[in-house]
Amino acid sequence: MLDEIGDLLKAIKKERSSGHMEIIIQKLKMLMTSSHTIYSNSAVSDSKMFFTIDQPHCVIFGTATAEKFWSNLSLDAVEDGFLGRILPFEVAGYSHTSHPVLHPVPDTIIEQVKAWINFMPSDGNLAIQAPKPVIYKQTPQAFARHQKYCDSIDSRIPKDGKHRPTDGLWKRARGRAASLALLFAASRQGPNKDAVIDIQDVELAIKFSNWITRKTIFKIATQASENQWESDCQRVFNIIKQHEIGLTALISKTRWLRSRDRKEIIETLIGSGKIELTEVTTKTKKRLFYKARKA
């Protein structure tokens, strides 16, 4: 399995070096969809890059500043299903300096890790290469609660073909809640072939899924852009919103823009009422500053 994962990373790195980020995103989405079957990249010109993964479970952990992440988010990422497949967590501010102290790993953690490593969900001589997954059954209460949650989401999504870009996030929230309930049940009961998904797992999963979805929708409504022009406008506004800033400093922080585009963006932000131009008189001269208008 490690060899196949290495091949996958090489393929992704190759696409990245070619600038094909959209291709990478599509492959990541296909990996998630193929989690119950065999994934292969058969459509490759180089036979050395061919590989298969049995029941892939791709988990990627990445970090970025909140402003950069949301300001570079487009509505295309919302509607194509990619954003509904990730769990964005945002932490405000900076943390204090930490002073790590060396402690031994607790025995309980070591025991849990060993138990999961030694856990064999199925029998047979191919159990390691192609294990048969353990099916977690739901209690009647858990099943009814998740069904009610799905019905509630379905009732709020238009059936006449009209939809909002964020409707797809709520559709994904149904499956996300089910996956989280499974994860919570497994974490709570450990490696156990007789484990079940209880009502407490579903309730926590729904609560968590709702929070993530609403937070994401709020960020989309306030920061996501439909095109490059809107994205540039939002990035400039985010800079001015932090604190009032002079033109020289603004030029320094928006060097990716051409002079004409910067001027048009500032005029657009002033015209829309999002920022205003203020004048500060000193002993020697007058200085102009841009600042965000209070809502």
Side-chain angles (χ1 to χ4, degrees):
M1 178 61 73
L2 292 178
D3 292 338
E4 287 83 353
I5 294 175
D7 292 337
L8 173 61
L9 293 176
K10 290 179 182 178
I12 290 178
K13 184 178 181 181
K14 182 179 180 181
E15 296 292 353
R16 181 184 178 186
S17 63
S18 303
H20 299 159
M21 283 302 297
E22 289 298 324
I23 298 178
I24 295 176
I25 292 176
Q26 292 299 326
K27 287 186 176 181
L28 292 176
K29 290 192 296 184
M30 290 173 61
L31 275 171
M32 183 176 180
T33 306
S34 307
S35 60
H36 65 295
T37 181
I38 297 178
Y39 171 84
S40 68
N41 64 335
S42 54
V44 291
S45 56
D46 187 357
S47 60
K48 295 181 180 179
M49 297 300 295
F50 174 78
F51 60 86
T52 61
I53 302 177
D54 188 6
Q55 302 176 37
H57 184 71
C58 183
V59 179
I60 297 177
F61 174 78
T63 60
T65 58
E67 179 185 340
K68 292 292 184 181
F69 176 80
W70 295 113
S71 63
N72 285 282
L73 189 67
S74 66
L75 292 180
D76 290 338
V78 179
E79 295 193 84
D80 70 1
F82 176 68
L83 190 59
R85 288 172 165 86
I86 64 177
L87 297 174
F89 294 93
E90 183 176 344
V91 179
Y94 291 91
S95 61
H96 295 289
T97 302
S98 61
H99 302 282
V101 179
L102 183 61
H103 289 293
V105 179
D107 292 337
T108 54
I109 295 180
I110 295 177
E111 292 173 359
Q112 291 177 18
V113 171
K114 286 183 177 180
W116 279 110
I117 292 176
N118 297 326
F119 179 58
M120 296 293 293
S122 59
D123 301 323
N125 57 356
L126 294 178
I128 296 179
Q129 287 78 13
K132 182 180 180 181
V134 172
I135 305 299
Y136 277 30
K137 295 182 179 179
Q138 293 177 295
T139 63
Q141 295 84 357
F143 177 82
R145 179 67 182 93
H146 186 259
Q147 186 64 47
K148 182 179 179 181
Y149 178 63
C150 294
D151 293 341
S152 174
I153 292 177
D154 290 341
S155 65
R156 288 179 286 173
I157 297 178
K159 303 297 189 298
D160 57 0
K162 300 178 181 179
H163 72 284
R164 297 156 294 188
T166 54
D167 286 340
L169 294 178
W170 281 115
K171 291 180 180 180
R172 284 282 173 186
R174 301 171 301 184
R176 174 185 290 164
S179 299
L180 288 171
L182 174 63
L183 179 62
F184 294 151
S187 300
R188 180 172 54 85
Q189 300 168 80
N192 185 352
K193 293 183 179 181
D194 299 321
V196 296
I197 300 174
D198 207 343
I199 183 65
Q200 61 180 317
D201 303 314
V202 176
E203 289 288 4
L204 180 59
I206 290 174
K207 188 175 182 180
F208 185 84
S209 182
N210 283 342
W211 177 79
I212 282 287
T213 304
R214 288 169 181 152
K215 179 78 172 180
T216 303
I217 289 175
F218 171 76
K219 288 294 184 179
I220 291 171
T222 55
Q223 298 194 41
S225 307
E226 190 166 359
N227 50 53
Q228 187 60 45
W229 169 257
E230 288 189 1
S231 177
D232 291 339
C233 287
Q234 187 62 46
R235 290 180 66 183
V236 174
F237 176 68
N238 288 338
I239 294 172
I240 299 174
K241 185 172 61 174
Q242 295 177 4
H243 51 77
E244 65 178 35
I245 187 172
L247 178 60
T248 301
L250 184 60
I251 291 175
S252 177
K253 291 192 173 186
T254 57
R255 288 191 296 268
W256 80 89
L257 290 171
R258 294 181 299 178
S259 177
R260 183 182 62 183
D261 293 337
R262 185 185 300 107
K263 180 180 179 181
E264 291 180 357
I265 288 174
I266 292 174
E267 292 175 352
T268 299
L269 293 175
I270 293 176
S272 63
K274 299 185 74 173
I275 67 171
E276 61 182 351
L277 184 63
T278 60
E279 185 179 279
V280 177
T281 303
T282 64
K283 292 182 179 180
T284 57
K285 59 181 179 180
K286 295 180 180 180
R287 300 185 62 186
L288 299 177
F289 290 89
Y290 300 99
K291 69 176 184 179
R293 285 182 175 271
K294 294 183 179 180

